[in-house]
Amino acid sequence: MELLAYRYMPSNDPTVIRTVIDQKERQIDKLRDEVERLRKILLERDTGIPTDPDTVLPKNQNR
């Protein structure tokens, strides 16, 4: 659906283009945050040392 929206997006409307860019940048930021959180979880699993209280897994799941 998103690809269809791009196809029919008025590419000559700067306001629409800026809005789409802003949306995509927010999505990218969220993905980067998620990747960082996952990296911390891996580091905790590898070292056994918690790096962030928000990423600590319950002990029964941390194998």
Side-chain angles (χ1 to χ4, degrees):
M1 184 186 291
E2 191 170 312
L3 291 174
L4 287 173
Y6 284 130
R7 184 176 216 162
Y8 296 105
M9 180 178 72
S11 61
N12 60 351
D13 184 344
T15 302
V16 172
I17 294 170
R18 284 186 187 98
T19 300
V20 172
I21 289 170
D22 289 342
Q23 290 171 346
K24 294 301 173 189
E25 286 177 340
R26 282 192 299 276
Q27 289 174 347
I28 290 168
D29 289 341
K30 286 179 183 179
L31 289 170
R32 284 190 176 126
D33 289 345
E34 180 66 9
V35 167
E36 182 61 26
R37 187 183 73 78
L38 292 170
R39 284 188 174 137
K40 286 179 180 180
I41 290 171
L42 281 177
L43 181 62
E44 289 171 9
R45 284 179 170 248
D46 290 345
T47 65
I49 301 169
T51 59
D52 185 343
D54 294 334
T55 63
V56 175
L57 296 173
K59 289 196 185 282
N60 63 354
Q61 290 183 3
N62 195 3
R63 297 182 194 176

Coordinates of all heavy atoms in Angstrom, one line a residue:
M1 N 0.8 -1.2 0.0 CA 0.0 0.0 0.0 C 0.9 1.3 0.0 O 0.6 2.2 -0.7 CB -0.9 0.0 1.2 CG -1.9 1.2 1.2 SD -2.9 1.3 2.6 CE -4.0 0.0 2.5
E2 N 1.9 1.2 0.8 CA 2.8 2.4 0.9 C 3.5 2.7 -0.5 O 3.6 3.8 -0.9 CB 3.9 2.1 1.9 CG 4.7 3.4 2.3 CD 5.6 3.2 3.5 OE1 5.1 2.7 4.5 OE2 6.7 3.5 3.4
L3 N 3.8 1.6 -1.2 CA 4.4 1.8 -2.5 C 3.4 2.5 -3.5 O 3.8 3.4 -4.3 CB 4.9 0.5 -3.1 CG 6.1 -0.1 -2.4 CD1 6.4 -1.5 -3.0 CD2 7.3 0.8 -2.5
L4 N 2.2 2.1 -3.4 CA 1.1 2.8 -4.2 C 1.0 4.2 -3.8 O 0.8 5.1 -4.7 CB -0.2 2.1 -4.0 CG -0.3 0.7 -4.7 CD1 -1.7 0.1 -4.3 CD2 -0.2 0.9 -6.2
A5 N 1.1 4.5 -2.5 CA 1.0 5.9 -2.1 C 2.1 6.8 -2.7 O 1.9 7.9 -3.1 CB 1.0 6.0 -0.6
Y6 N 3.3 6.2 -2.7 CA 4.4 6.9 -3.3 C 4.2 7.2 -4.8 O 4.5 8.2 -5.3 CB 5.7 6.2 -3.1 CG 6.3 6.3 -1.7 CD1 6.7 5.2 -1.1 CD2 6.5 7.5 -1.1 CE1 7.2 5.2 0.2 CE2 7.0 7.6 0.1 CZ 7.3 6.5 0.8 OH 7.9 6.5 2.1
R7 N 3.7 6.2 -5.4 CA 3.4 6.3 -6.9 C 2.5 7.4 -7.2 O 2.7 8.1 -8.2 CB 2.9 4.9 -7.4 CG 2.7 4.9 -8.9 CD 2.3 3.5 -9.3 NE 2.9 3.3 -10.6 CZ 3.1 2.1 -11.1 NH1 2.6 1.1 -10.5 NH2 3.6 2.0 -12.3
Y8 N 1.5 7.6 -6.4 CA 0.5 8.6 -6.7 C 0.7 9.9 -5.9 O -0.1 10.8 -6.0 CB -0.9 8.0 -6.4 CG -1.2 6.9 -7.3 CD1 -1.2 5.6 -6.9 CD2 -1.5 7.1 -8.7 CE1 -1.5 4.5 -7.8 CE2 -1.8 6.1 -9.5 CZ -1.8 4.8 -9.1 OH -2.0 3.8 -9.9
M9 N 1.7 10.0 -5.1 CA 2.0 11.2 -4.3 C 2.4 12.3 -5.3 O 3.2 12.1 -6.2 CB 3.2 10.9 -3.4 CG 3.6 12.1 -2.6 SD 4.9 11.8 -1.4 CE 6.3 11.7 -2.5
P10 N 1.8 13.5 -5.1 CA 2.1 14.6 -6.0 C 3.6 15.0 -5.7 O 3.8 15.7 -4.8 CB 1.1 15.7 -5.6 CG 0.6 15.3 -4.3 CD 0.8 13.8 -4.1
S11 N 4.5 14.6 -6.5 CA 5.9 14.8 -6.3 C 6.3 16.3 -6.4 O 7.4 16.7 -6.1 CB 6.7 14.0 -7.2 OG 6.5 14.3 -8.6
N12 N 5.4 17.1 -7.0 CA 5.7 18.5 -7.1 C 5.2 19.3 -5.9 O 5.3 20.6 -6.0 CB 5.2 19.1 -8.4 CG 3.7 18.9 -8.5 OD1 3.0 18.2 -7.7 ND2 3.1 19.5 -9.6
D13 N 4.6 18.7 -4.9 CA 4.1 19.4 -3.8 C 5.1 19.3 -2.6 O 5.2 18.3 -1.9 CB 2.8 18.8 -3.3 CG 2.1 19.6 -2.2 OD1 2.8 20.4 -1.5 OD2 0.9 19.4 -2.0
P14 N 5.9 20.4 -2.4 CA 6.9 20.3 -1.4 C 6.4 20.0 0.0 O 7.1 19.4 0.8 CB 7.6 21.7 -1.4 CG 7.2 22.3 -2.8 CD 5.9 21.6 -3.1
T15 N 5.2 20.5 0.3 CA 4.7 20.2 1.7 C 4.4 18.8 1.9 O 4.8 18.2 3.0 CB 3.4 21.0 1.9 OG1 3.6 22.4 1.7 CG2 2.8 20.8 3.2
V16 N 3.9 18.1 0.9 CA 3.7 16.6 1.0 C 5.0 15.9 1.1 O 5.1 15.0 1.9 CB 2.8 16.1 -0.2 CG1 2.7 14.6 -0.2 CG2 1.4 16.7 -0.2
I17 N 5.9 16.3 0.3 CA 7.2 15.6 0.3 C 7.9 15.8 1.7 O 8.4 14.9 2.3 CB 8.1 16.1 -0.8 CG1 7.5 15.7 -2.1 CG2 9.6 15.6 -0.7 CD1 8.2 16.4 -3.3
R18 N 7.8 17.0 2.2 CA 8.4 17.3 3.6 C 7.8 16.4 4.7 O 8.4 15.9 5.6 CB 8.4 18.8 3.9 CG 9.4 19.6 3.2 CD 9.3 21.1 3.6 NE 10.2 21.9 2.8 CZ 9.8 22.6 1.8 NH1 8.5 22.7 1.5 NH2 10.7 23.3 1.1
T19 N 6.4 16.3 4.5 CA 5.7 15.5 5.5 C 6.1 14.1 5.5 O 6.3 13.4 6.5 CB 4.2 15.6 5.3 OG1 3.8 17.0 5.4 CG2 3.4 14.8 6.2
V20 N 6.3 13.5 4.3 CA 6.7 12.1 4.1 C 8.1 12.0 4.6 O 8.4 11.0 5.3 CB 6.6 11.7 2.6 CG1 7.2 10.3 2.4 CG2 5.1 11.7 2.2
I21 N 9.0 12.9 4.3 CA 10.4 12.8 4.9 C 10.4 12.8 6.4 O 11.1 12.0 7.0 CB 11.2 14.0 4.3 CG1 11.5 13.8 2.8 CG2 12.5 14.2 5.1 CD1 12.1 15.0 2.1
D22 N 9.6 13.7 7.0 CA 9.5 13.8 8.5 C 9.0 12.4 9.0 O 9.5 11.9 10.0 CB 8.6 14.9 8.9 CG 9.2 16.3 8.7 OD1 10.4 16.4 8.5 OD2 8.4 17.2 8.7
Q23 N 8.0 11.9 8.4 CA 7.5 10.6 8.9 C 8.5 9.5 8.8 O 8.7 8.7 9.7 CB 6.2 10.2 8.1 CG 5.0 11.0 8.3 CD 3.9 10.7 7.3 OE1 4.1 10.1 6.3 NE2 2.7 11.2 7.6
K24 N 9.2 9.5 7.7 CA 10.3 8.4 7.5 C 11.4 8.6 8.5 O 12.0 7.6 9.0 CB 10.8 8.5 6.0 CG 9.8 8.1 5.0 CD 9.3 6.7 5.3 CE 8.1 6.3 4.4 NZ 7.5 5.0 4.9
E25 N 11.8 9.9 8.7 CA 12.9 10.1 9.7 C 12.4 9.6 11.1 O 13.3 9.1 11.8 CB 13.3 11.6 9.7 CG 14.1 11.9 8.5 CD 14.4 13.4 8.4 OE1 13.8 14.2 9.1 OE2 15.4 13.7 7.6
R26 N 11.2 9.8 11.5 CA 10.7 9.3 12.8 C 10.7 7.8 12.8 O 11.1 7.2 13.8 CB 9.3 9.9 13.1 CG 9.3 11.3 13.5 CD 8.0 11.7 14.1 NE 6.9 11.6 13.1 CZ 6.5 12.6 12.2 NH1 7.2 13.7 12.2 NH2 5.5 12.4 11.4
Q27 N 10.4 7.2 11.7 CA 10.4 5.7 11.6 C 11.9 5.2 11.8 O 12.1 4.2 12.5 CB 9.8 5.2 10.3 CG 8.3 5.3 10.3 CD 7.8 5.0 8.9 OE1 8.5 4.8 7.9 NE2 6.4 4.8 8.8
I28 N 12.8 5.9 11.1 CA 14.2 5.5 11.2 C 14.7 5.7 12.6 O 15.4 4.8 13.1 CB 15.0 6.4 10.2 CG1 14.7 6.0 8.8 CG2 16.5 6.2 10.5 CD1 15.3 6.9 7.7
D29 N 14.3 6.7 13.3 CA 14.7 7.0 14.7 C 14.2 5.8 15.6 O 15.0 5.3 16.4 CB 14.3 8.3 15.2 CG 15.0 9.5 14.6 OD1 16.1 9.3 14.0 OD2 14.4 10.6 14.6
K30 N 13.0 5.4 15.4 CA 12.4 4.4 16.2 C 13.2 3.0 15.9 O 13.5 2.3 16.9 CB 10.9 4.2 15.9 CG 10.1 5.3 16.5 CD 8.6 5.0 16.1 CE 7.7 6.2 16.7 NZ 6.3 6.0 16.3
L31 N 13.5 2.8 14.7 CA 14.2 1.6 14.4 C 15.6 1.6 15.0 O 16.1 0.6 15.5 CB 14.3 1.4 12.8 CG 13.0 1.0 12.2 CD1 13.1 1.0 10.6 CD2 12.6 -0.4 12.6
R32 N 16.3 2.7 14.9 CA 17.6 2.8 15.5 C 17.6 2.6 17.0 O 18.4 1.9 17.6 CB 18.2 4.2 15.2 CG 18.7 4.3 13.8 CD 19.6 5.6 13.6 NE 20.1 5.6 12.3 CZ 19.9 6.6 11.4 NH1 19.3 7.6 11.7 NH2 20.5 6.5 10.2
D33 N 16.5 3.2 17.7 CA 16.4 2.9 19.1 C 16.2 1.5 19.4 O 16.7 0.9 20.4 CB 15.2 3.7 19.6 CG 15.4 5.2 19.7 OD1 16.6 5.6 19.6 OD2 14.4 6.0 19.8
E34 N 15.4 0.8 18.6 CA 15.1 -0.6 18.8 C 16.4 -1.5 18.6 O 16.7 -2.4 19.3 CB 14.0 -1.1 17.8 CG 13.7 -2.6 18.0 CD 13.0 -3.0 19.3 OE1 12.7 -2.1 20.1 OE2 12.9 -4.2 19.5
V35 N 17.2 -1.1 17.6 CA 18.4 -1.8 17.3 C 19.4 -1.6 18.5 O 20.0 -2.6 19.0 CB 19.1 -1.3 16.0 CG1 20.5 -1.8 15.9 CG2 18.3 -1.8 14.8
E36 N 19.5 -0.4 19.0 CA 20.3 -0.2 20.2 C 19.9 -1.0 21.4 O 20.7 -1.6 22.1 CB 20.3 1.3 20.5 CG 21.2 1.7 21.7 CD 22.7 1.3 21.4 OE1 23.1 1.3 20.2 OE2 23.4 1.1 22.4
R37 N 18.6 -1.1 21.6 CA 18.0 -1.8 22.7 C 18.4 -3.3 22.6 O 18.8 -4.0 23.5 CB 16.5 -1.7 22.8 CG 15.9 -2.3 24.0 CD 14.4 -2.1 24.0 NE 13.8 -3.0 23.1 CZ 13.6 -4.4 23.2 NH1 14.0 -4.9 24.4 NH2 13.0 -5.1 22.3
L38 N 18.3 -3.8 21.4 CA 18.6 -5.2 21.1 C 20.1 -5.5 21.3 O 20.5 -6.5 21.8 CB 18.1 -5.6 19.7 CG 16.6 -5.7 19.5 CD1 16.3 -5.9 18.0 CD2 16.0 -6.8 20.4
R39 N 20.9 -4.6 20.9 CA 22.4 -4.7 21.1 C 22.7 -4.8 22.5 O 23.6 -5.5 23.0 CB 23.1 -3.6 20.4 CG 23.2 -3.7 18.9 CD 24.1 -2.7 18.3 NE 24.2 -3.0 16.9 CZ 24.2 -2.1 15.9 NH1 24.0 -0.8 16.2 NH2 24.3 -2.4 14.7
K40 N 22.0 -4.0 23.4 CA 22.3 -4.0 24.8 C 21.9 -5.3 25.4 O 22.6 -5.9 26.2 CB 21.5 -2.9 25.5 CG 22.1 -1.5 25.3 CD 21.3 -0.4 25.9 CE 22.0 0.9 25.7 NZ 21.2 2.0 26.4
I41 N 20.8 -5.9 24.9 CA 20.3 -7.2 25.4 C 21.4 -8.2 25.0 O 21.7 -9.1 25.9 CB 19.0 -7.6 24.8 CG1 17.9 -6.7 25.4 CG2 18.6 -9.1 25.0 CD1 16.5 -6.8 24.7
L42 N 21.9 -8.2 23.8 CA 23.0 -9.2 23.4 C 24.2 -9.0 24.3 O 24.8 -10.0 24.7 CB 23.3 -9.0 22.0 CG 22.4 -9.6 21.0 CD1 22.9 -9.3 19.5 CD2 22.3 -11.1 21.2
L43 N 24.6 -7.8 24.6 CA 25.8 -7.5 25.4 C 25.5 -8.1 26.8 O 26.4 -8.7 27.4 CB 26.1 -6.0 25.5 CG 27.3 -5.6 26.3 CD1 28.5 -6.2 25.7 CD2 27.4 -4.1 26.4
E44 N 24.3 -7.9 27.3 CA 24.0 -8.4 28.7 C 24.1 -9.9 28.7 O 24.6 -10.5 29.6 CB 22.6 -8.0 29.1 CG 22.5 -6.5 29.4 CD 21.1 -6.0 29.6 OE1 20.2 -6.8 29.7 OE2 21.0 -4.8 29.7
R45 N 23.6 -10.6 27.6 CA 23.6 -12.0 27.5 C 25.1 -12.5 27.4 O 25.4 -13.5 28.0 CB 22.8 -12.5 26.3 CG 21.3 -12.4 26.6 CD 20.6 -12.9 25.4 NE 19.2 -13.1 25.7 CZ 18.6 -14.3 25.8 NH1 19.2 -15.4 25.5 NH2 17.3 -14.3 26.1
D46 N 25.9 -11.8 26.7 CA 27.3 -12.2 26.5 C 28.1 -12.0 27.7 O 29.0 -12.8 28.0 CB 27.9 -11.5 25.3 CG 27.3 -11.9 23.9 OD1 26.7 -12.9 23.9 OD2 27.6 -11.1 23.0
T47 N 27.9 -10.9 28.5 CA 28.7 -10.6 29.6 C 28.1 -11.0 30.9 O 28.8 -11.1 31.9 CB 29.1 -9.1 29.6 OG1 27.9 -8.4 29.8 CG2 29.8 -8.7 28.3
G48 N 26.8 -11.1 31.0 CA 26.1 -11.3 32.2 C 26.0 -10.0 33.1 O 25.5 -10.1 34.2
I49 N 26.4 -8.9 32.5 CA 26.4 -7.6 33.3 C 25.2 -6.8 32.7 O 25.3 -6.4 31.5 CB 27.7 -6.9 33.1 CG1 28.8 -7.7 33.7 CG2 27.6 -5.5 33.9 CD1 30.2 -7.2 33.4
P50 N 24.2 -6.4 33.5 CA 23.2 -5.6 33.0 C 23.7 -4.2 32.6 O 24.5 -3.6 33.3 CB 22.2 -5.4 34.2 CG 22.6 -6.5 35.1 CD 24.0 -6.8 34.9
T51 N 23.3 -3.7 31.5 CA 23.7 -2.4 31.0 C 22.6 -1.3 31.1 O 22.9 -0.2 31.2 CB 24.2 -2.4 29.5 OG1 23.1 -2.9 28.7 CG2 25.4 -3.3 29.3
D52 N 21.4 -1.8 31.2 CA 20.3 -0.9 31.3 C 19.1 -1.6 31.9 O 18.7 -2.6 31.5 CB 19.9 -0.4 29.9 CG 18.8 0.6 29.8 OD1 18.1 0.8 30.8 OD2 18.7 1.3 28.7
P53 N 18.5 -1.0 33.0 CA 17.4 -1.7 33.7 C 16.2 -2.0 32.7 O 15.5 -2.9 33.0 CB 17.0 -0.7 34.8 CG 18.0 0.3 34.8 CD 18.9 0.2 33.6
D54 N 16.1 -1.2 31.7 CA 15.0 -1.4 30.8 C 15.1 -2.6 29.9 O 14.2 -3.0 29.2 CB 14.8 -0.1 29.9 CG 14.3 1.1 30.7 OD1 13.7 0.9 31.8 OD2 14.6 2.2 30.3
T55 N 16.4 -3.1 29.8 CA 16.6 -4.2 28.9 C 16.8 -5.5 29.6 O 17.0 -6.6 28.9 CB 17.8 -4.0 28.0 OG1 19.0 -3.8 28.8 CG2 17.7 -2.7 27.1
V56 N 16.9 -5.5 30.9 CA 17.1 -6.7 31.7 C 16.0 -7.7 31.5 O 14.8 -7.4 31.7 CB 17.4 -6.4 33.1 CG1 17.5 -7.7 33.9 CG2 18.6 -5.5 33.3
L57 N 16.3 -8.9 31.1 CA 15.3 -10.0 30.9 C 15.1 -10.7 32.2 O 16.0 -10.8 33.0 CB 15.8 -11.0 29.8 CG 15.9 -10.4 28.4 CD1 16.5 -11.5 27.5 CD2 14.6 -10.0 27.8
P58 N 13.9 -11.2 32.4 CA 13.7 -12.1 33.6 C 14.7 -13.2 33.6 O 15.0 -13.7 32.5 CB 12.3 -12.6 33.4 CG 11.6 -11.6 32.5 CD 12.7 -11.1 31.6
K59 N 15.1 -13.7 34.8 CA 16.2 -14.7 34.9 C 15.8 -16.0 34.2 O 16.6 -16.6 33.6 CB 16.5 -14.9 36.3 CG 17.2 -13.8 36.9 CD 17.9 -14.2 38.2 CE 18.5 -13.0 38.9 NZ 19.7 -12.5 38.4
N60 N 14.5 -16.4 34.2 CA 14.1 -17.6 33.5 C 14.2 -17.6 32.0 O 14.2 -18.6 31.4 CB 12.8 -18.1 34.0 CG 11.7 -17.1 33.6 OD1 12.0 -16.0 33.1 ND2 10.4 -17.5 33.8
Q61 N 14.3 -16.4 31.4 CA 14.4 -16.3 30.0 C 15.9 -16.0 29.5 O 16.2 -16.1 28.4 CB 13.6 -15.1 29.5 CG 12.1 -15.4 29.5 CD 11.3 -14.2 28.9 OE1 11.9 -13.3 28.4 NE2 10.0 -14.3 29.0
N62 N 16.7 -15.7 30.5 CA 18.1 -15.3 30.1 C 19.0 -16.6 30.2 O 19.6 -16.9 31.2 CB 18.6 -14.3 31.1 CG 19.9 -13.6 30.7 OD1 20.4 -13.9 29.6 ND2 20.4 -12.7 31.5
R63 N 19.0 -17.3 29.1 CA 19.8 -18.6 29.1 C 21.1 -18.4 28.4 O 21.3 -17.9 27.4 CB 18.9 -19.7 28.3 CG 17.7 -20.0 29.0 CD 16.9 -21.0 28.3 NE 15.6 -21.1 28.8 CZ 14.7 -21.8 28.3 NH1 14.9 -22.6 27.3 NH2 13.4 -21.8 28.8

